[in-house]
């Protein structure tokens, strides 16, 4: 979503950080570029003006000009202002009210209200263990009520039975009453939309609000909306009084201006973002993490959270035990590639690694992208059980069969086998007796630098930490020398402390949990 903006701001601010001293003219020239980058990203003009003026006031000060690295100070000011513009702290859906808590969903037609209602209901059911009732108040759009019912069936969440001919306000009142009688904790009201804002829509929203007395009124907006996002947010806030925003299609290739504009104009927090089509693909919005990502500083906390959600703990433990014995076959390699794909693939992971955002294009041009891993999975899938467990069986005739089955050739199979051999050798060295448990020493080294205790040679169990502990962990890591933009060993940068040991093939540095990448010949 923010890739274009990230590239533009990254190149502008990189030009500043290399300078020994900055003049007012340097700052003005950079801010002109920042202003242009924000406008190109579809951020509203009034928001851009306010943003650049605030940065200028702070940047053209004596404290900055006398600083050792004034360019870095400007980057920090831009980062802080971005966080301020997006909202300083992440705010979740507020359920602190007497049951049933009424959540009213508003927005234009096609913004994704119905799907988002289902996603929020699933999230509240799975994460917060709440009993949720969904009700469709959309009597105009054909099959809108049936769509919500189907989503309820799909997710196992209760929906209000449809009574033909009822008005939206009557359905709202009936939904609240049914939730009280049914012992539900939350009622989600999916209201009707229009292709554009009109008076009858606003009157209907006000009537529904008066009848149902919602605790939360969430404006659902398409993140691909351009400059019009500001008018949309302002109108709904003035007429209905929204309490928060939900942005859908944040996984699209839009320019991200709506996210920056709507929060700045309404002053209401962005509470959730839709990052995909699946019912589970709804994330909390963390302003600081998004600002880090826009400025190419990575988002290690979100990466760890994603890992905790997607990595199968039992499988990981079994693989760790095998690696400790120095065993690593092609099934293990396929599992690692599969885990990485669940976390968003190489591109998704790189975007969250500090200082690695710029590496994505370089790696793609070298042929090291997600297509490569898909091909490797296809090759492994075309092997027999015995071949996966013992790659030494693979002679010419077998390779010919595998190449035909996977749509590849012998050269690609040989590359995969070479990569596997290098990784297997490394695992023996890390887990074997000679190495004295080198993996444990490495993880212990990282943990001790961060001042942590816990399992696996001092490394804590990241999956058991809550988001606040993860934020604290990220701060500890930064204090210990793992700074955003510091880079990873072997990829240009300071490297992670305690991980300077054995290297994964082709990456020149310790990169735990990811399959090694073949060296370019």
């Amino acid at each position: 979503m923010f890739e274009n903006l990230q590239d533009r701001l990254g190149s502008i601010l990189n030009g500043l950080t290399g300078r020994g001293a900055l003049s007012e003219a340097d700052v003005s020239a950079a801010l002109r570029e920042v202003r242009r980058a924000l406008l190109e990203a579809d951020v509203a003009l009034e928001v851009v003006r306010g943003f650049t003026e605030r940065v200028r006031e702070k940047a053209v000060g004596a404290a900055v000009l006398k600083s050792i690295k004034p360019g870095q100070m400007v980057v920090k000011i831009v980062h802080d202002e971005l966080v301020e513009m997006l909202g300083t702290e992440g705010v979740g859906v507020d359920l602190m009210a007497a049951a049933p808590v009424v959540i009213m969903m508003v927005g234009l037609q096609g913004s994704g209200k119905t799907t988002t209602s289902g996603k929020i209901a699933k999230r509240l059911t799975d994460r917060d263990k709440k009993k949720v009732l969904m009700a469709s108040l959309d009597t105009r759009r054909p099959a809108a009520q049936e769509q919500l019912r189907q989503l309820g069936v799909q997710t196992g969440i209760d929906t209000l039975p449809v009574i033909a001919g009822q008005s939206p306000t009557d359905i709202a009142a009936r939904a609240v009453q049914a939730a009280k009688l049914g012992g539900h904790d939350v009622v989600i009201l999916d209201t009707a939309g229009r292709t554009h804002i009109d008076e009858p829509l606003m009157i209907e929203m006000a009537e529904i609000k008066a009848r149902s007395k919602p605790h939360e009124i969430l404006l659902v907006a398409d993140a691909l909306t351009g400059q019009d996002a500001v008018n949309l947010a302002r109108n709904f806030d003035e007429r209905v009084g929204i309490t928060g925003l939900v942005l859908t299609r944040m996984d699209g290739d839009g320019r991200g201006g709506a996210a920056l504009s709507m929060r700045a104009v309404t002053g209401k927090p962005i509470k959730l973002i839709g990052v995909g089509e699946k019912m589970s693909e709804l994330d909390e919005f963390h302003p600081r993490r998004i600002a880090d990502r826009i400025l190419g500083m990575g988002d290690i906390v979100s990466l760890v959270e994603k890992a905790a959600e997607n990595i199968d703990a039992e499988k990981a433990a079994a693989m760790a035990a095998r690696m400790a014995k120095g065993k690593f076959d092609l099934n293990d390699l396929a599992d690692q590639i599969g885990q990485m794909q669940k976390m968003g693939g190489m591109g998704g992971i790189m975007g969250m690694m500090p200082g690695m955002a710029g590496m994505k294009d370089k790696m793609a041009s070298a042929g090291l992208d997600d297509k490569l891993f898909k091909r490797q999975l296809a090759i492994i899938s075309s092997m027999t059980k015995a071949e996966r467990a013992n790659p030494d069986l693979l002679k010419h005739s077998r390779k010919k069969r595998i190449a035909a089955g996977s749509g590849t050739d012998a050269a690609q199979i040989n590359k995969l086998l070479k990569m596997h051999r290098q990784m297997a050798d490394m695992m023996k060295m890390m887990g074997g007796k000679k190495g004295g448990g080198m993996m444990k020493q490495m993880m212990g080294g990282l943990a001790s630098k961060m001042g942590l205790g816990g399992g696996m040679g001092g490394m804590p169990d990241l999956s058991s930490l809550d988001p606040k502990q993860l934020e604290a962990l990220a701060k500890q890591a930064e204090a210990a020398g793992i700074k955003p933009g510091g880079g990873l060993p072997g990829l240009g940068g300071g490297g992670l402390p305690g991980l300077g040991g054995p290297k994964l093939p082709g990456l020149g540095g310790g990169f735990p949990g990811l399959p090694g990448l073949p060296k370019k010949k």
Side-chain angles (χ1 to χ4, degrees):
M1 171 56 75
F2 293 110
E3 274 185 11
N4 291 341
L5 186 58
Q6 180 182 320
D7 293 344
R8 286 293 307 275
L9 289 182
S11 59
I12 295 161
L13 297 172
N14 281 345
L16 286 181
T17 49
R19 309 271 184 91
L22 287 182
S23 66
E24 194 167 329
D26 291 331
V27 173
S28 294
L31 282 180
R32 258 198 314 278
E33 289 298 316
V34 168
R35 178 191 173 105
R36 194 174 295 157
L38 291 171
L39 287 172
E40 280 178 14
D42 261 345
V43 182
L45 180 61
E46 60 186 286
V47 177
V48 175
R49 276 183 183 148
F51 178 80
T52 49
E53 280 312 308
R54 287 194 301 275
V55 173
R56 186 188 304 279
E57 279 172 30
K58 293 179 182 176
V60 187
V64 176
L65 297 178
K66 289 177 185 173
S67 160
I68 306 163
K69 288 185 180 172
Q72 289 185 351
M73 192 72 187
V74 175
V75 175
K76 183 189 183 306
I77 292 167
V78 171
H79 177 266
D80 290 349
E81 283 303 322
L82 264 180
V83 173
E84 192 67 35
M85 188 156 78
L86 290 165
T88 46
E89 289 298 323
V91 180
V93 175
D94 182 15
L95 299 177
M96 299 298 285
V101 178
V102 181
I103 299 173
M104 181 174 161
M105 311 292 286
V106 300
L108 293 182
Q109 196 170 308
S111 59
K113 283 194 303 301
T114 304
T115 308
T116 303
S117 298
K119 285 182 178 182
I120 292 175
K122 181 174 166 52
R123 185 184 178 86
L124 294 177
T125 305
D126 295 349
R127 294 198 175 199
D128 301 318
K129 306 296 179 231
K130 300 290 182 188
K131 190 178 179 187
V132 182
L133 175 68
M134 298 191 291
S136 175
L137 278 58
D138 191 347
T139 54
R140 285 183 183 80
R141 184 165 64 89
Q145 292 176 311
E146 175 60 17
Q147 184 191 352
L148 193 71
R149 192 189 71 77
Q150 290 287 354
L151 285 174
V153 171
Q154 187 185 326
T155 53
I157 291 159
D158 297 338
T159 52
L160 188 74
V162 177
I163 296 176
Q166 268 200 321
S167 70
T169 46
D170 289 340
I171 297 171
R174 181 163 65 91
V176 176
Q177 189 60 30
K180 282 178 183 170
L181 295 172
H184 292 86
D185 303 303
V186 180
V187 187
I188 296 177
L189 302 178
D190 175 28
T191 65
R194 299 279 195 285
T195 51
H196 60 279
I197 293 167
D198 63 10
E199 194 59 26
L201 172 68
M202 290 304 179
I203 292 169
E204 185 180 293
M205 295 299 119
E207 285 173 359
I208 292 168
K209 182 182 176 183
R211 285 288 291 272
S212 62
K213 297 184 173 53
H215 183 62
E216 283 269 31
I217 301 175
L218 301 178
L219 170 61
V220 181
D222 189 333
L224 304 182
T225 310
Q227 294 281 340
D228 203 40
V230 174
N231 301 330
L232 171 73
R234 193 176 271 142
N235 270 314
F236 270 102
D237 193 31
E238 285 171 1
R239 296 296 301 274
V240 188
I242 61 173
T243 59
L245 301 157
V246 181
L247 292 178
T248 57
R249 292 208 269 185
M250 284 290 281
D251 56 325
D253 56 0
R255 301 176 213 171
L260 301 175
S261 304
M262 292 169 94
R263 165 67 181 80
V265 168
T266 61
K268 301 297 192 297
I270 299 169
K271 298 202 170 190
L272 298 161
I273 50 175
V275 291
E277 294 291 320
K278 293 177 188 167
M279 296 308 288
S280 57
E281 291 178 326
L282 186 74
D283 290 349
E284 283 180 10
F285 184 82
H286 296 279
R288 191 168 293 279
R289 299 187 201 175
I290 295 286
D292 284 351
R293 240 182 272 185
I294 291 173
L295 294 182
M297 295 177 179
D299 184 1
I300 208 77
V301 180
S302 291
L303 185 60
V304 172
E305 281 182 353
K306 212 171 223 186
E309 280 176 28
N310 290 297
I311 289 175
D312 187 326
E314 286 181 20
K315 262 191 181 179
M319 193 182 285
R322 283 173 57 74
M323 286 180 188
K325 293 174 187 171
K327 291 178 182 173
F328 186 79
D329 63 21
L330 287 166
N331 287 313
D332 297 322
L333 178 58
D335 279 347
Q336 287 225 334
I337 295 172
Q339 299 269 22
M340 189 178 73
Q341 286 184 326
K342 276 188 195 171
M343 288 171 62
M346 179 58 84
I349 293 169
M350 285 289 176
M352 291 185 182
M353 299 293 284
M356 297 286 281
M359 285 299 298
K360 281 193 288 186
D361 296 336
K362 290 179 189 173
M363 292 183 76
S365 61
L368 302 174
D369 55 11
D370 292 322
K371 287 179 188 170
L372 169 78
F373 296 123
K374 282 178 184 169
R375 275 199 303 274
Q376 290 179 339
L377 280 177
I379 292 169
I380 296 170
S381 301
S382 300
M383 295 177 187
T384 65
K385 205 172 179 180
E387 287 166 349
R388 287 198 290 268
N390 183 13
D392 293 335
L393 293 173
L394 295 170
K395 302 300 180 222
H396 179 68
S397 60
R398 290 181 185 244
K399 285 180 187 175
K400 206 171 170 184
R401 188 201 79 242
I402 293 162
S406 58
T408 56
D409 55 36
Q412 287 173 317
I413 296 170
N414 289 335
K415 271 185 188 175
L416 173 71
L417 294 175
K418 185 182 177 187
M419 182 180 95
H420 168 259
R421 209 162 36 247
Q422 288 173 318
M423 289 184 75
D425 290 345
M426 185 195 73
M427 295 307 164
K428 280 178 191 165
M429 191 166 64
M430 289 165 87
K433 289 174 186 175
K434 281 186 182 177
M438 210 173 290
M439 177 65 103
K440 218 169 188 183
Q441 289 171 18
M442 280 170 25
M443 296 309 256
L446 173 62
S448 62
K449 291 222 178 191
M450 287 162 63
L452 301 163
M456 198 172 169
M459 204 53 188
D461 176 15
L462 296 174
S463 62
S464 65
L465 301 179
D466 64 31
K468 283 185 182 170
Q469 288 172 307
L470 286 168
E471 294 278 9
L473 183 63
K475 283 175 186 165
Q476 277 182 302
E478 201 169 319
I482 309 174
K483 293 185 175 66
L488 283 167
L491 278 170
L496 292 174
L499 284 178
K503 298 169 172 51
L504 283 182
L507 269 178
F511 203 153
L514 286 183
L517 300 171
K519 288 178 183 170
K520 283 183 77 182
K521 290 183 179 176

